[in-house]
Amino acid sequence: MARAFDARILTYKLDRMELSLWTVEGRQKMSFACGKRQLNAKGQHGESDLCLVKGSFT
């Protein structure tokens, strides 16, 4: 199962390694991990996918 999220629903704070995701229970903030190439990106491009794989979100 995968869901696509654009900038209206999902935002990144690269300096804090934090993301903010709009949910039915309101905004949820959480930490995330990514590679060096993604850290050097100039802003958010396109959309992101949140996948549920074997009971865990990836």
Side-chain angles (χ1 to χ4, degrees), residues 29-49:
K29 293 182 180 180
M30 59 200 80
S31 62
F32 72 96
C34 67
K36 289 180 183 178
R37 189 174 129 229
Q38 289 79 16
L39 281 176
N40 293 323
K42 303 291 185 218
Q44 186 172 341
H45 301 284
E47 59 187 35
S48 301
D49 294 325

Side-chain angles (χ1 to χ4, degrees), residues 1-51:
M1 178 176 113
R3 297 282 186 241
F5 298 98
D6 63 18
R8 295 170 293 177
I9 298 170
L10 176 68
T11 56
Y12 295 96
K13 303 292 184 199
L14 294 177
D15 58 329
R16 292 183 281 186
M17 296 300 292
E18 180 180 84
L19 63 84
S20 175
L21 177 65
W22 183 254
T23 72
V24 294
E25 296 179 6
R27 280 246 172 231
Q28 302 293 315
K29 293 182 180 180
M30 59 200 80
S31 62
F32 72 96
C34 67
K36 289 180 183 178
R37 189 174 129 229
Q38 289 79 16
L39 281 176
N40 293 323
K42 303 291 185 218
Q44 186 172 341
H45 301 284
E47 59 187 35
S48 301
D49 294 325
L50 178 63
C51 303

